[in-house]
């Protein structure tokens, strides 16, 4: 299995925190960056290969990962069009490194607790993290369900058939290849500034993707300073044994 971490975004909603660094290099706790936490978790879980897409500050990401000294071989795929395209283009560029592989896909601003990562890695089929304990977010991803399967993912979906979700996926090799094919079709016809999930949605449920229930466990994106404060508080609570999370 290979991990794919999407780090090609600008992170403008983090304000001054990302003026001179990528969002992934913001510290969650003293001495631990978001990127460092993800890579350390992957190595601890036994993964040995990762593909990381980059945009601004690509050199800083590579230097930071190298300094960690982890037993993890990382292939970097740069998207020089990061300012004018969405990560659908980054995934398309990374496709040659991923075809034929089982893939763990994480957005680079995602913080998750180890048991969630373990469940993703050990899932016997393709899955995406969802949390039915949370209200549907106004601006973030929701998953639309049909017959117990995820058939669409996007910010625009609302309704009784939808559930809050996070961009943490595990794919079989065959299922991921189908998504890559759909992504390629979008990119070739010029749809380059949409979510990669738009290509998944175009498959209309023919790619089997099951929900992996979080049940309130930590698996959250860091989009802005308020998210950072919330995640830091949960990590501190976990370390003190006062929360449900295990940091």
């Amino acid at each position: 299995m290979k991990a794919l971490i999407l780090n090609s975004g600008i992170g403008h909603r983090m304000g001054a925190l990302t003026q001179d660094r990528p969002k992934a290099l913001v510290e969650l706790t003293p001495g631990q960056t978001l990127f460092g936490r993800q890579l350390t978790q992957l190595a601890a879980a036994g993964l040995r290969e990762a593909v990381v897409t980059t945009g601004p500050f690509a050199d800083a990401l590579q230097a930071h990962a190298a300094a960690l000294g982890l037993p993890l071989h990382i292939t970097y795929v740069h998207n020089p069009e990061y300012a004018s395209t969405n990560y659908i283009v980054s995934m398309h560029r990374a496709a040659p490194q991923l075809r034929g592989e089982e893939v763990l896909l994480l957005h680079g601003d995602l913080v998750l607790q180890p048991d969630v990562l373990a469940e993703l890695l050990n899932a016997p089929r393709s899955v995406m993290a969802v949390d039915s304990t949370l209200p549907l977010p106004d601006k973030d991803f929701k998953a639309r369900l049909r017959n117990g399967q995820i058939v669409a993912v996007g910010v625009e979906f609302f309704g009784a058939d939808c559930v809050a979700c996070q961009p943490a996926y595990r794919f079989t090799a065959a299922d991921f290849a189908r998504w890559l094919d759909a992504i390629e079709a979008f990119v070739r016809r010029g749809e380059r500034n949409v979510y990669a999930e738009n290509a998944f949605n175009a498959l209309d449920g023919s790619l089997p993707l099951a929900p992996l229930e979080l049940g309130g466990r930590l698996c959250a994106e860091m989009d802005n300073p308020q998210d950072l404060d919330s995640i830091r508080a949960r990590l501190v609570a976990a370390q003190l044994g006062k929360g449900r999370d295990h940091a």
Side-chain angles (χ1 to χ4, degrees), residues 24-25 31-33 35-36 39 59-69:
L25 294 189
Q32 185 186 64
T33 65
F35 190 40
L39 294 180
D59 291 344
L61 284 170
Q62 294 186 43
H64 186 75
L68 295 174

Side-chain angles (χ1 to χ4, degrees), residues 15-16 109 120 141 227 234:
D109 60 356
L120 287 166
F141 274 166
D227 291 341
R234 293 190 68 173

Side-chain angles (χ1 to χ4, degrees), residues 20 59 69 83-84 90 112 136 172 200-201:
D20 60 354
D59 291 344
S84 60
S90 298
L112 67 168
L136 296 180
T172 67
F200 168 82
N201 297 347

Side-chain angles (χ1 to χ4, degrees), residues 17-40:
L17 289 171
T18 52
Q19 285 184 346
D20 60 354
R21 75 194 72 184
K23 186 176 5 176
L25 294 189
V26 172
E27 286 194 345
L28 297 175
T29 57
Q32 185 186 64
T33 65
L34 198 162
F35 190 40
R37 177 183 170 91
Q38 286 183 332
L39 294 180
T40 300

Side-chain angles (χ1 to χ4, degrees), residues 8-232:
S8 48
I10 297 174
H12 60 87
R13 284 192 283 173
M14 294 298 293
L17 289 171
T18 52
Q19 285 184 346
D20 60 354
R21 75 194 72 184
K23 186 176 5 176
L25 294 189
V26 172
E27 286 194 345
L28 297 175
T29 57
Q32 185 186 64
T33 65
L34 198 162
F35 190 40
R37 177 183 170 91
Q38 286 183 332
L39 294 180
T40 300
Q41 286 181 311
L42 294 178
L47 267 72
R48 292 296 175 259
E49 291 190 77
V51 177
V52 177
T53 69
T54 63
F57 309 111
D59 291 344
L61 284 170
Q62 294 186 43
H64 186 75
L68 295 174
L70 297 170
L72 194 62
H73 178 267
I74 304 174
T75 300
Y76 294 92
V77 178
H78 186 60
N79 178 8
E81 302 172 284
Y82 64 83
S84 60
T85 64
N86 211 323
Y87 58 81
I88 190 170
V89 172
S90 298
M91 288 183 65
H92 179 57
R93 287 179 172 271
Q97 304 292 332
L98 299 165
R99 285 194 180 275
E101 302 281 350
E102 294 182 325
V103 173
L104 171 78
L105 169 58
L106 304 175
H107 280 206
D109 60 356
L110 194 69
V111 181
L112 67 168
Q113 62 189 66
D115 63 328
V116 172
L117 176 61
E119 288 186 25
L120 287 166
L121 293 174
N122 294 325
R125 54 184 175 171
S126 299
V127 297
M128 180 187 193
V130 307
D131 199 329
S132 62
T133 71
L134 298 178
L136 296 180
D138 289 334
K139 299 179 181 180
D140 295 325
F141 274 166
K142 279 82 64 177
R144 172 159 284 164
L145 303 177
R146 183 194 304 153
N147 298 323
Q149 297 290 305
I150 296 171
V151 296
V153 177
V155 300
E156 70 272 27
F157 299 121
F158 291 90
D161 59 348
C162 296
V163 64
C165 64
Q166 292 292 343
Y169 302 86
R170 176 257 194 267
F171 283 97
T172 67
D175 289 346
F176 197 70
R178 289 201 62 202
W179 193 10
L180 289 177
D181 289 342
I183 285 172
E184 181 176 8
F186 266 62
V187 171
R188 287 188 179 278
R189 64 174 177 255
E191 296 188 60
R192 300 157 60 86
N193 200 21
V194 299
Y195 295 119
E197 282 75 7
N198 287 48
F200 168 82
N201 297 347
L203 297 173
D204 193 28
S206 63
L207 192 165
L209 184 64
L212 189 153
E213 177 61 49
L214 294 169
R217 292 175 295 170
L218 177 60
C219 183
E221 285 186 292
M222 187 182 75
D223 287 327
N224 53 52
Q226 292 72 36
D227 291 341
L228 175 59
D229 289 342
S230 175
I231 289 168
R232 282 174 170 169

